[in-house]
């Protein structure tokens, strides 16, 4: 199994979106990322990125599907797509993967409909769902309706937007961008534990430049 992060851009996030005491005028640098899980038989994208980002200044940007294909992975190679939540920057480029099976939480389907290609097979989940051995989609429903994380091998956690900044976890401060504060607090309390290798979807330090970086790899037995 291999986990690769893909960076396709940088932007600025108002501090108040990350922290309830944050200021509107203060902007935090963040990266735009999506991820690829490769197993023996499947290539699974976790979110797909966006071709446009209304309301945000793109400091640099490249179409995410181009970043993927420049790494040697063709869009037609993708067997599955997990959508952590149906916000534009995580689902906009889904149209490039019309041959894939898409997994999304039932409560996020309403918001996702306009992004779904007609030919795509959609599997709506409502609870913990193992789509491949040791690849589990886990609903958190803190950031938005039906928002999820993905857990690999029990402790590698793809956090979606359940938290924006590392400080949300280290200081146990739930994100200000939350539709359910109680669920967001439960998330930070659990996944700040040292047992977990937490990976943030907007971490500006994860991948230096536009392109890809292998984050985790193990030989399948």
């Amino acid at each position: 199994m291999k986990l690769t992060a893909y960076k396709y851009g940088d932007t600025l996030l108002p501090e108040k979106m990350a922290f309830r005491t944050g200021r509107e005028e203060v902007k935090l640098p963040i990266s735009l990322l999506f991820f690829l899980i490769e197993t023996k038989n499947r290539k699974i994208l976790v979110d797909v990125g966006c071709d446009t980002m209304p309301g945000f200044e793109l400091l640099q940007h490249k179409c995410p599907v181009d970043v993927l294909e420049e790494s040697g992975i063709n869009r037609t190679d993708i067997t599955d797509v997990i959508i952590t939540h149906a916000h534009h920057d995580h689902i906009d480029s889904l149209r490039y993967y019309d041959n894939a099976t898409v997994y999304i939480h039932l409560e996020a389907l309403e918001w996702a409909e306009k992004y779904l290609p007609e030919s795509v097979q959609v599997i709506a989940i409502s609870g913990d769902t193992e789509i491949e051995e040791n690849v589990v989609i886990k609903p958190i429903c803190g950031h938005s309706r039906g928002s999820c994380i993905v857990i690999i091998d029990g402790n590698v956690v793809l956090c979606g937007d359940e938290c924006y900044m590392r400080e949300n976890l280290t200081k146990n401060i739930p994100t200000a961008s939350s539709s359910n504060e109680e669920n967001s607090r439960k998330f930070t309390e659990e996944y700040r534990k040292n047992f977990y290798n937490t990976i943030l979807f907007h971490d500006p330090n994860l991948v230096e430049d536009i392109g890809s970086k292998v984050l985790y790899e193990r030989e399948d037995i």
Side-chain angles (χ1 to χ4, degrees):
M1 182 183 293
K2 181 164 72 172
L3 173 66
T4 304
Y6 288 84
K7 175 178 173 177
Y8 64 96
D10 290 303
T11 188
L12 298 172
L13 183 78
E15 186 184 54
K16 75 170 190 177
M17 290 184 66
F19 307 107
R20 295 196 181 280
T21 58
R23 296 152 291 179
E24 173 67 34
E25 69 275 12
V26 174
K27 308 295 184 181
L28 304 174
I30 63 170
S31 290
L32 303 175
L33 303 161
F34 64 97
F35 299 85
L36 175 66
I37 302 168
E38 295 178 82
T39 68
K40 283 184 176 180
N41 302 312
R42 300 165 82 170
K43 288 181 169 57
I44 306 165
L45 283 182
V46 183
D47 291 340
V48 292
C50 58
D51 291 354
T52 63
M53 199 167 177
F56 288 82
E57 177 187 2
L58 292 170
L59 305 179
Q60 60 173 339
H61 178 267
K62 193 168 192 174
C63 289
V65 70
D66 292 338
V67 179
L68 179 72
E69 293 196 328
E70 286 171 6
S71 76
I73 305 292
N74 193 283
R75 69 190 74 184
T76 59
D77 296 336
I78 300 303
T79 58
D80 308 271
V81 176
I82 299 169
I83 298 298
T84 62
H85 62 292
H87 287 170
H88 181 85
D89 59 315
H90 292 256
I91 195 173
D92 176 48
S93 296
L94 185 58
R95 61 187 176 277
Y96 296 112
Y97 307 103
D98 55 355
N99 292 322
T101 298
V102 175
Y103 295 84
I104 188 168
H105 195 281
L106 182 63
E107 291 186 7
L109 261 182
E110 178 184 352
W111 304 100
E113 284 181 354
K114 66 179 180 179
Y115 297 101
L116 296 172
E118 289 185 4
S119 60
V120 79
Q121 178 185 3
V122 178
I123 296 179
I125 69 164
S126 58
D128 292 6
T129 304
E130 187 173 44
I131 72 164
E132 176 78 317
E133 185 176 4
N134 294 317
V135 178
V136 177
I137 308 170
K138 185 176 184 66
I140 300 296
C141 304
H143 175 61
S144 62
R145 288 183 59 188
S147 59
C148 298
I149 62 176
V150 178
I151 303 178
I152 304 168
D153 284 347
N155 73 325
V156 179
V157 183
L158 299 174
C159 293
D161 278 0
E162 298 302 334
C163 62
Y164 280 122
M165 313 304 293
R166 183 64 57 184
E167 192 176 356
N168 291 123
L169 289 173
T170 58
K171 295 188 176 182
N172 196 17
I173 305 172
T175 177
S177 298
S178 175
S179 67
N180 187 311
E181 187 173 354
E182 181 181 357
N183 288 347
S184 291
R185 184 168 297 280
K186 288 178 181 178
F187 170 83
T188 56
E189 288 175 351
E190 175 63 22
Y191 292 100
R192 66 192 301 266
K193 296 175 182 176
N194 291 334
F195 171 76
Y196 297 107
N197 174 12
T198 49
I199 298 169
L200 308 187
F201 280 46
H202 296 293
D203 187 342
N205 302 310
L206 197 61
V207 184
E208 184 175 355
D209 299 310
I210 287 181
S212 62
K213 179 181 178 181
V214 176
L215 302 180
Y216 176 76
E217 192 168 11
R218 67 161 169 80
E219 185 175 349
D220 290 331
I221 300 174

